[in-house]
Amino acid sequence: MKFYILTLFPEMVMQGLSASILGKAAQRGAIAVEAVNIRDYTKDKHLKVDDYPYGGGAGMVMQAQPIFDAYQAVRERIGYVPRTIYLTPQGPVFHQAMAKAMAKEEDLVFLCGHYEGVDERVLEEIVTDYVSIGDYVLTGGELPAMVMVDAISRMVPGVLTNEESGLRETFEGNLLEYPQYSRPKVWRGKEVPSVLMSGDHKKIEDWRREQSVLRTKKYRPDLLKKADLTIKEKAVYGVNEI
Ligand code: 6GU
């Protein structure tokens, strides 16, 4: 999977995505990340990439030409019209199933906006998906792009080791993860739950499942409605059937 991130802040994106698991995955060639500097494509002699909005109002608007030319350079290089995501609070909210679906693409292009927005005409020309990462406003699309690249990369074969991908995951089955403990057995007077030291794998599995359901009920009751629960679990935990 190759990610192309069209941005005015290429260093920010590359720094954020070169550490830890994604950095190692890139070294192995499981993913590749390329930040494309929109400013490199401006035809303005002062390297300007924004201008005042027609009709007036606060702020500046990113102009169509540099963005379109940056996009075309990628498009010509890969030889087809790629899925192109514009990060905007006006899109549908990103979720795990979207990450999974996008991980199947060969290439993904992200357009990171700034200032008061992007000239609508270039969005109409190149964008295939409008995506938000949540109901709050950020100063630019870079952090959302990094969030999406992280979540999508984890779903690309070869990015996580066997052990990492074998972990039961939050949002698999719409349940939150159970609590984890490591040494020491007692820390600040707090003991590790004894069941985890019992060596009884069935009991441990049942306890973890119960903890997942209880946590989801407590912190994300909205998710619990969609969770894969057995009839018995629904009765025990008081989850209403439709
Ligand atoms: Cl994708 N972009 C910006 N600028 N703000 C956001 C967002 C995206 N998602 C939530 N807030």
Side-chain angles (χ1 to χ4, degrees):
M1 158 78 77
K2 179 146 186 188
F3 299 97
Y4 297 89
I5 303 175
L6 313 185
T7 173
L8 290 173
F9 301 93
E11 321 77 31
M12 172 182 179
V13 169
M14 292 313 291
Q15 282 234 0
L17 296 174
S18 58
S20 188
I21 292 176
L22 297 194
K24 285 185 195 116
Q27 280 175 14
R28 285 201 302 278
I31 58 168
V33 182
E34 182 175 332
V36 179
N37 191 346
I38 294 167
R39 201 176 298 278
D40 289 348
Y41 292 87
T42 182
K43 293 194 166 113
D44 180 83
K45 64 174 183 288
H46 300 108
L47 305 187
K48 213 163 61 74
V49 291
D50 62 336
D51 208 334
Y52 297 100
Y54 278 117
M60 302 290 270
V61 174
M62 285 173 70
Q63 291 167 288
Q65 176 271 315
I67 292 172
F68 188 68
D69 290 358
Y71 166 83
Q72 284 291 21
V74 173
R75 213 228 81 124
E76 278 163 24
R77 193 128 56 85
I78 64 181
Y80 69 101
V81 176
R83 197 162 180 180
T84 300
I85 297 147
Y86 178 52
L87 291 313
T88 169
Q90 289 162 56
V93 177
F94 188 53
H95 54 75
Q96 188 64 28
M98 254 190 228
K100 236 178 200 176
M102 288 180 178
K104 293 181 169 58
E105 301 289 338
E106 191 72 33
D107 302 277
L108 282 174
V109 178
F110 292 88
L111 171 59
C112 305
H114 255 271
Y115 312 113
E116 294 312 300
V118 171
D119 190 308
E120 191 70 18
R121 294 167 296 183
V122 72
L123 299 178
E124 290 169 6
E125 287 293 315
I126 73 174
V127 172
T128 60
D129 299 74
Y130 294 79
V131 181
S132 167
I133 64 161
D135 291 336
Y136 39 82
V137 181
L138 301 168
T139 55
E142 282 76 14
L143 286 169
M146 289 158 72
V147 166
M148 288 186 66
V149 168
D150 190 301
I152 294 164
S153 294
R154 294 180 65 267
M155 297 295 112
V156 172
V159 170
L160 300 185
T161 65
N162 253 347
E163 192 162 66
E164 288 158 345
S165 53
L167 290 177
R168 290 215 51 244
E169 297 241 11
T170 295
F171 300 121
E172 286 292 336
N174 287 303
L175 287 173
L176 302 183
E177 274 173 81
Y178 50 77
Q180 298 275 21
Y181 300 87
S182 183
R183 285 192 287 187
K185 202 178 281 182
V186 183
W187 181 78
R188 284 179 152 251
K190 290 167 170 282
E191 288 203 32
V192 173
S194 57
V195 61
L196 299 178
M197 262 105 50
S198 67
D200 184 335
H201 296 300
K202 169 76 172 110
K203 250 191 180 159
I204 292 170
E205 193 186 312
D206 290 349
W207 181 85
R208 285 177 164 170
R209 172 81 184 178
E210 179 180 49
Q211 291 296 313
S212 281
V213 177
L214 289 175
R215 281 193 158 188
T216 312
K217 187 176 158 85
K218 181 167 178 191
Y219 296 115
R220 292 295 305 275
D222 59 309
L223 276 186
L224 196 62
K225 289 188 207 123
K226 298 184 281 179
D228 300 333
L229 298 184
T230 64
I231 300 275
K232 184 177 172 189
E233 283 172 327
K234 285 180 180 166
V236 171
Y237 300 109
V239 179
N240 293 328
E241 291 278 11
I242 316 123

